[in-house]
Amino acid sequence: MWERTLQDLVRGLRANKNDEAKFIGKAVDEIRQEIKNDDMELKAGAVLKLTYLDMLGYDMSWASFHVVEVMSSPKFHLKCVGYLAATQSFDQETDVLMLTTNLLKKDLGSTPADISVTLDGLSHIVTTELARDLSPELIAMLNHSRPQIRKRAILALYKLVLKNPDTLQHARVRLEDKLEDPDPAVVAATVNIICELARQNPKEFLSLAPQLFHLLTTSSNNWMLIKIIKLFGSLSPHEPRLVKKLQPPITELISTTPAISLLYECVHTCIIGGMLQGPQGDSLARMCVSKLATFIQDPDQNLKYIALQAMAKIVPSHPHLVADYQDTILSSVNDQDISIRMRALELVSAMVDRDNLQSIVQQLLAHLVKDSSMMPTASQILLQNSASPTSSPPSPSQSPGYRLILSQRILAVGSQSTYENVANFEWYISVLVDLAHVANVDIGVEIRDQLVEIVGRVRGVRPFAVKLMSSLLADDTMLRNANEPGSCSEVLWAAAWICGEHCSALSDPQKLLPHLLQPEVDRLSPNIIATYIQAVLKVFGTWASELAQRWSEDDLPIVKEKVINIKNRLEDLSGSSDIETQERASNALQLFSFISADLNSHRSRRPSISAASSLSMFEETSITEDLDFPKSLYLIDPLFSSHELNPVANSAQASVPVPEGLDLDSWIVAPPPEPTGYKVVDQADDSKKKKGNKGKEKEKETKTSAGKKTKKHNGEAVVDGDLLVPVESDIESPEDIEKRKAERQAQLRDDPYYIVDDRSTKPLEEVESIPVVHLEDMPPIPHESRLPSLRTTSQSFSSQSFVIEKDGEMPEGAILLATPKLSTPASGSSRSATPARLTSFQPYEIADDAPRPQTPEAVTVLRTKKKGTAAKKKKTIS
Amino acid sequence: MIHAVLIFNTSGVARLTKFYTPLHQSAQSVVQKIFSLVSTRPAGLCNFLDAPELEQFLGFKGDADERWRVVYRSYATLYFVFVVDGAESELGILDLIQVFVESLDRSFENVCELDLVFHFDEVHHILAEVIQGGLVLETNVEEIDLAIQEAARARKESFASANPLSLGSVGLTPRGANMKTPLGWLTGKLTGAGAR
C-alpha cells in the first residue's frame, strides 16, 4: 500500500492547481478506501486529510462515524487528530455525538494530556445532552491539581452553562473560589467567563463585586484588568453604590496606565457604566472626552477608530463636551479609511441637533456630490464600457455600500423624532431632491416616503414642495436614467403625487400635463405610471374647475385640445401589460370620454331648466348661474378634493368605536351551498335517509341565501328522487332581469357617483335644444413659461416657521384609549378646514420677501401634551 | 467572546479556519467576503474592518455593543482575522493576534506561509493553546510555548511507541519532516500514515 500522507496531499494540490477538482475527487476516493481500513494509523491519516479538505470547502460530514473511531483511539497522537476533526466538522445536529458521552467521560479521567485535548474538543462539540451528562465530571475538574487543566475546565464550563444553564447552580461555589486561585491564568479565565455570563445576566454576579474590586486594585495583568473593567461596565448600572466606589480607582487607572487598551476600556466603562453623572462624574467625563479627543487626533488609525466609537456613546449624555471637537470629527468623515468613516458617521449622526443639522447634512451631501462629479454619469459609463473598461482605484466614497449608508444617514438624521431637528423644511426638501440626484444608490423609496410624509405633515411647505416637484417632473434627466440602478426614479412617484394632490397651489396647473403625459414616462415602473395617471386626473380636475369659474368660450378649444391629448395618452396606457396601470388608465379614459362628449356637444347658452335638472348632481356646485361652461368641467375635481388628506395617527384605526350591533362573525352573505355540481340522490334505503337529511339541510341553506341575495332561483333544486339535479341553478326569466335592471337604475339615479347617461336614448334633440350664447372679449389664457409657477411669488426660501403635524388625525368619535383628552392640531384644524369644493384655494402668504436668512428662525414644533400614549403616535401618514 | 479565527493569504486562499460559533454561511463564503474587503485596504489604515457590506453579512445585531467586529492584522503574505463581539477589547484582540503569531513563530522557527500549509494540524494545536472554545486561554507567550512543547512531546512519544521504525518525524520538527532522507521516505511509506 502506498498511501498519501497529508503532506503528499498538499503537495499534490499545489502541483495540480489547474485541475484541482479532479485531483481532489481522486484523493477523496482514496480517502474513502483508507478510512474503512482497520489500521488506525491509516484511518487517522485519512481523517486528517479530510479535515484539510474540509477547510477548502469539501464536505466531510459523511465521515463523522470514522472521526469518532479515531477519537476513541488510545494513542494520544491519533486522539488529537480525531478531536481536531471533530471540532472542525461536527455541529449540534451531528448524530454520532450521542455515541461520544462515555468516550468523553473516559478521556476526562485519563492522563493530563488527554484531558486537555478532551476539554478543548468538548468546548466545541458540546450539546445540551452532553452538557447535562458531563457537568459532574467537569465541576470536579475545576479542582484539578494542574493549573492548565483548571483553566481549560473553567472555559469549558462556560460552554456547558450555555447549553445547560442549570450547571451554573452546581458550579457556582467552586467557580467563585477560583477567583482566589493561586495561578493567575486560572483567575483570568474565571474573570473571563464571569464577564461573559454577566453580560447576559448581570444581577446574579453583583455579589462578586468585592472580590473583583480587590482584583482590580491589586492585579497588574492588563488582559485581566480589561476584562474586570468590562465586567464592572455591565454590573454598575445595576448597583448605584458601585459607581461611587469605582470612580477613584478608574480615574487613577486612566491617569496612570501606559496601556492604551486598558485606558480605552476604562473610558468606555465610565461611559456605559453610568459613572459620568453627578458632580464627580462631570470632571471624569471631561477627562474621558479630552483623552478621546487626543486619540482622534492621534496618527494611529486604530486609536482614532476606537475613540470615535466611544465618543458616539458619550454624546447622548454629554453633547456639549463632544461639540467642542465637532470639526475634528467632521473631518474624520473624510478619512480615506472606510472603517473610520463608518464610525465617524455614526458619531456625527448622534451629534446632530437643531443648530448644526444644516451644516452637517450639507457636509455629508458634499461627499456624495464631490464623488458623483468625479464619477461619470450613467450614460458616460455606458459609453466607456462599450469602448474600454475603466480601471480607477477604488475610493471609499465610491463604494455603493458606503454611499448607501451615507444616504441613509442623511435621511435618518433629518427625520429623527419626526423631523424634530429640521428648522427649515424648504431647505430639507431641497436636500432630499439633491440627494435623489447625487446618491447613485437605491435610496429612492426612502426619499419618496419622506417627501410624501413631509408634505403631509407640514402644511407651510406645500407650495414650495409643489413648485420643486413640478420642476422635477419637467426635468427629464431623471426620466432618461430611470432604468439605471441607483437612479432614484421613485422620487418621481412622490413628485407626481404631490403635484397632483396639491396642484391648486400652482397658478397654471395645466402646464404640468405635458410632462405627465409624455410617452417617456413608460420607462418608469408601473406603480409610478399609475401615480402619473392619478396626477393627470387631479391636475386636470383642478384646472378645469378653476377654468369653469372664469369661463370664456375661447377656452373651449384649449380644453378640447388638452382632453384629446389626455385621451390619446390614456388609450396607449390602457393597453399596458401592468394590471394596475391598465385599470387606472381605463377608468380615467372613461371619465375623459364623457368630458370629451360633453365638450363636443357644448354650445354656449343660457342654462335651461332641463339641462340643469339633467345634471342635478352638480347643482349644489354651480355657484354662478350666469357663467355658461361645460358642466363636465366639474366632473373630476370633486372626486379628489372633497376631503383633505391628513396624516393619520398611529392609533386612529384602533380608536374607531365599534358600531353597536356589529357582528363580524355572522355572515353578511351566506356562503353558497357546496359547489358539487350535480348530485345523485340515491334511492337505496340505507343511504336515502342520510342523503335526505343532507338534502334538507341544503335546502334550508339555499333558502336563506336566496332570501338575502337578490332574486335567486332555488326551487326544486333538491328533491327526493332519482334525479340528476344541478344544486345551484341561476336561470332567470327575462322579466326578472328587466325588473332588476330597473331597480338598479333607480338606485343609480340617486347615487352621486354614477352619471346616468340619459342622452343615450335621445341625444340629438337634447343637444339641439340647448340655447347658445357667445361670450366675447374674454382675455386669452396667458402662456408665458413652460413651467407652472406658484400663485404668489415667493423667494426660494421663506423665513417662515413650519409646523409639523406629529400626531396625525384621529377619527371622529374615536374611543380614546388611555388618552382622555386629545387635542392634536390636526384633528382640530383638519375637520374644519375641509375645503368647500369650489372655493378657490387659500393663497400661500409670506410675510415679507426678505432673502433667506443664514440661520432660520426658530420653529415651533407642536407637540400635543398628552399623557401616556404620546410616544406611540407618530410617523404614519396614510 | 471570539467567534472565529481565520488565516488566509494575499490571494484569498484559506490557511486556517476556526469557527467557535456556527455561522449561517459556509466557511468559504465568509473567508471570501472578508478577504474581498480586507485586501482592498491599503496598508496604514486601521486594523478594524468596518464596512457596510459586512453588517448584513454577519447578521445585523440591533445593539451597537453586540455588533460583531472584525479585527485583522497582516503579516507578510498572510492575513490573521479575528471575528469578535463586544465582550472583547478591540485593542486587546490586536495584542492577542500578535501573541498567536509569536507562538507560531517560536514553534516553527521563523514561521512562513508554507509552514502553515504543510502543518495545518500543528497550527490548530497551537491555536488551541491560546483560545479554547472562543475564550482566551492564555496570553503569556512563555506559558503558551511551554504548553505547546508539552503537547507536542506527548504526541511524539505516542507516535514513537506506535511506530518503532520511524525516526520520530512527527510534531514540532517541521523542517525535518520535509527532509527526504531515504530512510525517512521508506519508513513514511511503510508505516502508511507516518510523517504527520
Side-chain angles (χ1 to χ4, degrees):
Chain A
M1 293 249 240
W2 300 89
E3 286 77 20
R4 295 171 208 271
T5 63
L6 173 65
Q7 276 73 21
D8 295 331
L9 177 75
V10 175
R11 257 180 231 121
L13 272 174
R14 294 165 70 83
N16 290 284
K17 274 196 175 120
N18 298 326
D19 204 6
E20 215 181 73
K22 196 176 159 200
F23 177 80
I24 287 178
K26 232 173 84 190
V28 171
D29 285 344
E30 281 176 19
I31 290 170
R32 280 181 193 275
Q33 291 304 315
E34 291 167 19
I35 211 163
K36 289 181 195 138
N37 201 299
D38 283 339
D39 182 356
M40 217 33 144
E41 294 273 354
L42 206 55
K43 197 188 281 283
V47 166
L48 187 60
K49 283 191 275 182
L50 264 187
T51 313
Y52 185 81
L53 292 179
D54 176 71
M55 179 176 76
L56 301 180
Y58 296 89
D59 176 54
M60 69 171 289
S61 56
W62 55 273
S64 51
F65 182 74
H66 301 289
V67 171
V68 176
E69 279 184 309
V70 178
M71 280 164 78
S72 66
S73 162
K75 300 200 178 76
F76 179 64
H77 68 290
L78 300 183
K79 193 182 279 298
C80 286
V81 172
Y83 274 100
L84 174 60
T87 58
Q88 290 297 94
S89 68
F90 286 7
D91 59 26
Q92 294 294 303
E93 273 77 49
T94 306
D95 44 6
V96 292
L97 276 175
M98 287 185 295
L99 307 173
T100 56
T101 314
N102 282 324
L103 168 67
L104 290 167
K105 271 191 185 171
K106 200 179 113 223
D107 284 347
L108 284 178
S110 182
T111 63
D114 278 353
I115 297 175
S116 291
V117 172
T118 312
L119 286 172
D120 183 58
L122 179 64
S123 29
H124 278 93
I125 62 178
V126 63
T127 61
T128 312
E129 291 77 32
L130 283 177
R132 197 184 51 223
D133 296 340
L134 292 174
S135 64
E137 278 82 2
L138 202 72
I139 292 168
M141 204 69 74
L142 292 179
N143 281 357
H144 197 276
S145 58
R146 293 197 181 210
Q148 282 93 334
I149 306 287
R150 286 205 299 274
K151 63 187 181 192
R152 279 197 183 273
I154 289 167
L155 297 187
L157 180 69
Y158 172 66
K159 292 294 197 159
L160 261 66
V161 171
L162 282 189
K163 295 291 171 200
N164 182 17
D166 296 343
T167 313
L168 187 59
Q169 304 300 323
H170 308 293
R172 179 75 190 249
V173 179
R174 282 205 180 171
L175 191 61
E176 285 176 17
D177 286 348
K178 294 298 128 197
L179 282 177
E180 278 139 27
D181 198 276
D183 188 277
V186 176
V187 181
T190 314
V191 170
N192 198 350
I193 84 163
I194 292 178
C195 179
E196 293 283 346
L197 291 168
R199 280 168 68 82
Q200 291 143 27
N201 194 357
K203 284 189 183 140
E204 285 223 1
F205 296 91
L206 280 176
S207 60
L208 294 179
Q211 284 156 288
L212 292 169
F213 190 79
H214 177 72
L215 285 173
L216 175 69
T217 46
T218 53
S219 171
S220 59
N221 176 353
N222 275 340
W223 178 263
M224 190 172 78
L225 281 175
I226 288 175
K227 283 288 174 185
I228 295 179
I229 293 282
K230 275 204 174 274
L231 181 51
F232 277 124
S234 345
L235 294 184
S236 61
H238 300 272
E239 177 54 87
R241 283 174 298 175
L242 256 182
V243 174
K244 209 170 279 175
K245 192 106 193 313
L246 283 171
Q247 270 169 351
I250 288 189
T251 315
E252 170 82 14
L253 268 178
I254 290 178
S255 38
T256 59
T257 181
I260 289 175
S261 51
L262 181 57
L263 169 64
Y264 168 73
E265 284 312 326
C266 290
V267 172
H268 188 249
T269 291
C270 289
I271 297 167
I272 63 165
M275 294 178 199
L276 305 180
Q277 268 79 51
Q280 257 190 315
D282 229 35
S283 65
L284 191 56
R286 207 169 297 277
M287 188 163 145
C288 288
V289 173
S290 69
K291 285 275 182 193
L292 291 176
T294 57
F295 284 176
I296 290 186
Q297 283 141 347
D298 200 282
D300 186 343
Q301 297 274 302
N302 290 335
L303 295 186
K304 201 169 180 175
Y305 177 88
I306 56 168
L308 289 169
Q309 188 168 308
M311 282 267 204
K313 294 199 169 129
I314 212 170
V315 165
S317 57
H318 296 77
H320 55 286
L321 290 179
V322 181
D324 297 344
Y325 303 98
Q326 188 178 330
D327 293 339
T328 324
I329 294 164
L330 273 173
S331 69
S332 304
V333 184
N334 281 327
D335 202 283
Q336 54 162 342
D337 187 343
I338 191 163
S339 299
I340 288 183
R341 281 189 182 210
M342 293 278 290
R343 289 305 113 218
L345 261 185
E346 188 178 297
L347 174 56
V348 162
S349 28
M351 283 166 63
V352 162
D353 61 25
R354 221 178 155 72
D355 298 325
N356 61 18
L357 176 78
Q358 287 209 4
S359 65
I360 286 180
V361 169
Q362 294 289 19
Q363 289 218 33
L364 296 185
L365 207 56
H367 284 274
L368 291 169
V369 175
K370 195 170 59 193
D371 284 283
S372 73
S373 66
M374 272 168 18
M375 271 166 77
T377 64
S379 53
Q380 281 170 321
I381 286 178
L382 217 64
L383 283 174
Q384 279 173 351
N385 278 353
S386 54
S388 67
T390 49
S391 56
S392 58
S395 136
S397 33
Q398 283 192 15
S399 117
Y402 175 72
R403 294 180 75 86
L404 184 64
I405 292 271
L406 191 55
S407 310
Q408 283 169 343
R409 285 280 178 202
I410 293 175
L411 293 178
V413 297
S415 61
Q416 221 168 33
S417 36
T418 326
Y419 307 96
E420 190 174 54
N421 293 324
V422 181
N424 185 335
F425 277 96
E426 296 183 352
W427 164 79
Y428 188 63
I429 285 200
S430 321
V431 166
L432 290 179
V433 174
D434 288 348
L435 186 60
H437 280 296
V438 300
N440 214 3
V441 286
D442 288 326
I443 192 88
V445 174
E446 287 89 334
I447 300 177
R448 175 193 75 191
D449 292 349
Q450 285 210 359
L451 282 172
V452 172
E453 183 176 359
I454 291 172
V455 169
R457 285 188 192 278
V458 189
R459 276 156 204 279
V461 83
R462 282 177 193 171
F464 177 82
V466 174
K467 188 166 168 11
L468 200 59
M469 290 299 124
S470 59
S471 66
L472 199 61
L473 286 178
D475 176 12
D476 37 341
T477 43
M478 192 163 265
L479 211 53
R480 260 205 312 275
N481 299 334
N483 293 326
E484 310 280 340
S487 66
C488 292
S489 60
E490 290 86 354
V491 173
L492 291 176
W493 191 102
W497 187 84
I498 291 170
C499 284
E501 196 58 36
H502 301 290
C503 60
S504 50
L506 294 171
S507 60
D508 292 311
Q510 82 281 8
K511 285 187 184 160
L512 274 175
L513 288 174
H515 302 300
L516 292 170
L517 294 171
Q518 56 186 326
E520 285 81 7
V521 171
D522 286 342
R523 296 173 195 208
L524 298 173
S525 76
N527 68 333
I528 304 179
I529 300 179
T531 315
Y532 268 62
I533 296 174
Q534 289 299 95
V536 167
L537 276 172
K538 292 174 191 168
V539 169
F540 180 85
T542 312
W543 174 63
S545 64
E546 276 164 14
L547 205 59
Q549 285 175 59
R550 45 181 172 82
W551 179 252
S552 83
E553 279 311 304
D554 297 345
D555 291 335
L556 189 62
I558 302 169
V559 181
K560 274 185 177 169
E561 189 202 329
K562 290 279 178 207
V563 170
I564 288 167
N565 288 344
I566 292 173
K567 272 183 75 179
N568 288 341
R569 173 71 178 144
L570 288 175
E571 268 161 19
D572 291 346
L573 285 174
S574 60
S576 163
S577 59
D578 179 70
I579 193 77
E580 173 83 4
T581 311
Q582 200 189 78
E583 189 174 1
R584 284 184 192 244
S586 314
N587 281 347
L589 188 59
Q590 290 311 311
L591 288 172
F592 279 104
S593 304
F594 176 77
I595 295 172
S596 144
D598 184 54
L599 290 178
N600 287 334
S601 62
H602 177 69
R603 301 283 183 277
S604 201
R605 44 138 174 80
R606 289 269 143 207
S608 72
I609 291 153
S610 67
S613 69
S614 75
L615 288 162
S616 60
M617 64 204 165
F618 296 126
E619 233 167 11
E620 54 184 333
T621 69
S622 343
I623 41 163
T624 47
E625 286 293 314
D626 300 327
L627 280 180
D628 173 34
F629 48 85
K631 296 294 181 287
S632 61
L633 290 183
Y634 278 131
L635 177 67
I636 292 175
D637 195 40
L639 298 180
F640 296 107
S641 62
S642 57
H643 184 73
E644 193 190 9
L645 277 186
N646 281 312
V648 175
N650 246 358
S651 58
Q653 182 63 49
S655 327
V656 175
V658 179
E660 266 181 58
L662 177 69
D663 181 9
L664 291 177
D665 293 328
S666 69
W667 288 108
I668 297 169
V669 177
E674 285 172 45
T676 44
Y678 292 96
K679 174 174 156 136
V680 182
V681 182
D682 205 344
Q683 214 148 25
D685 268 356
D686 51 349
S687 63
K688 186 180 174 186
K689 203 176 166 192
K690 233 195 287 173
K691 296 269 179 179
N693 278 347
K694 214 175 175 184
K696 266 172 203 148
E697 273 167 35
K698 193 134 292 169
E699 200 172 12
K700 228 183 281 167
E701 242 173 70
T702 9
K703 264 183 189 159
T704 50
S705 78
K708 281 188 187 173
K709 287 180 195 168
T710 52
K711 266 192 122 172
K712 195 163 195 177
H713 182 84
N714 63 336
E716 309 86 33
V718 184
V719 278
D720 269 359
D722 196 5
L723 283 171
L724 266 180
V725 182
V727 166
E728 202 177 356
S729 68
D730 273 316
I731 307 156
E732 287 175 301
S733 61
E735 299 88 75
D736 283 340
I737 294 173
E738 269 311 306
K739 199 175 159 197
R740 249 186 2 173
K741 214 171 176 181
E743 269 173 22
R744 197 172 129 79
Q745 269 174 350
Q747 264 178 1
L748 293 189
R749 210 158 280 135
D750 300 332
D751 195 333
Y753 292 102
Y754 281 91
I755 294 159
V756 184
D757 199 355
D758 282 341
R759 289 174 308 161
S760 60
T761 48
K762 36 179 181 171
L764 274 175
E765 48 182 276
E766 199 165 299
V767 169
E768 295 303 333
S769 71
I770 300 172
V772 179
V773 173
H774 285 283
L775 290 178
E776 277 161 36
D777 293 326
M778 287 293 279
I781 291 170
H783 286 275
E784 322 92 6
S785 69
R786 202 168 67 90
L787 263 184
S789 56
L790 286 181
R791 274 160 207 261
T792 47
T793 48
S794 70
Q795 295 294 331
S796 59
F797 288 116
S798 69
S799 58
Q800 78 172 99
S801 56
F802 298 94
V803 178
I804 314 167
E805 287 178 29
K806 287 203 167 193
D807 296 300
E809 193 179 6
M810 291 293 283
E812 275 175 297
I815 303 170
L816 297 174
L817 313 149
T819 53
K821 209 168 150 197
L822 187 88
S823 58
T824 65
S827 61
S829 62
S830 65
R831 285 279 148 199
S832 58
T834 309
R837 281 189 206 167
L838 288 174
T839 51
S840 66
F841 90 118
Q842 301 286 316
Y844 175 44
E845 277 166 18
I846 291 163
D848 55 296
D849 287 350
R852 180 187 163 212
Q854 284 303 309
T855 47
E857 279 174 28
V859 167
T860 43
V861 177
L862 291 191
R863 245 202 241 262
T864 41
K865 289 176 186 66
K866 275 179 292 168
K867 294 144 238 163
T869 59
K872 276 193 240 158
K873 305 180 181 185
K874 54 182 179 182
K875 283 192 184 173
T876 11
I877 74 160
S878 69
Chain B
M1 73 178 256
I2 299 163
H3 295 285
V5 174
L6 310 170
I7 305 177
F8 47 80
N9 68 5
T10 40
S11 331
V13 179
R15 293 307 182 202
L16 175 129
T17 55
K18 190 96 180 169
F19 291 94
Y20 297 104
T21 307
L23 293 184
H24 47 278
Q25 281 107 355
S26 78
Q28 275 62 46
S29 61
V30 174
V31 170
Q32 282 314 314
K33 186 76 191 180
I34 294 180
F35 169 72
S36 70
L37 293 170
V38 162
S39 59
T40 54
R41 292 169 64 82
L45 301 188
C46 72
N47 294 94
F48 309 112
L49 179 63
D50 202 339
E53 296 89 351
L54 202 64
E55 282 184 12
Q56 299 159 340
F57 189 74
L58 292 174
F60 181 72
K61 310 278 189 301
D63 187 2
D65 215 39
E66 290 302 320
R67 196 167 51 84
W68 283 14
R69 300 123 208 257
V70 176
V71 185
Y72 74 98
R73 259 185 128 135
S74 87
Y75 291 88
T77 57
L78 291 174
Y79 286 107
F80 287 71
V81 179
F82 280 43
V83 182
V84 302
D85 65 17
E88 301 295 337
S89 146
E90 288 91 339
L91 294 174
I93 291 294
L94 273 182
D95 291 344
L96 190 69
I97 297 179
Q98 179 66 30
V99 165
F100 178 41
V101 174
E102 272 179 40
S103 309
L104 287 173
D105 203 43
R106 287 191 181 205
S107 302
F108 289 109
E109 297 156 26
N110 273 327
V111 66
C112 71
E113 191 183 341
L114 276 184
D115 293 325
L116 271 57
V117 176
F118 283 101
H119 301 278
F120 108 106
D121 51 340
E122 265 315 308
V123 181
H124 273 287
H125 295 319
I126 293 166
L127 181 60
E129 299 298 337
V130 184
I131 300 167
Q132 176 188 308
L135 299 172
V136 176
L137 185 68
E138 182 59 66
T139 52
N140 186 331
V141 184
E142 301 293 333
E143 291 282 333
I144 293 169
D145 196 36
L146 279 176
I148 292 169
Q149 284 179 18
E150 200 178 319
R153 197 162 48 243
R155 281 196 296 277
K156 208 162 163 182
E157 280 163 12
S158 163
F159 177 72
S161 68
N163 304 284
L165 264 180
S166 79
L167 297 181
S169 55
V170 74
L172 285 185
T173 49
R175 298 293 146 90
N178 287 341
M179 253 178 358
K180 277 284 176 186
T181 62
L183 189 56
W185 178 82
L186 192 63
T187 49
K189 295 302 177 189
L190 283 177
T191 53
R196 194 171 304 113

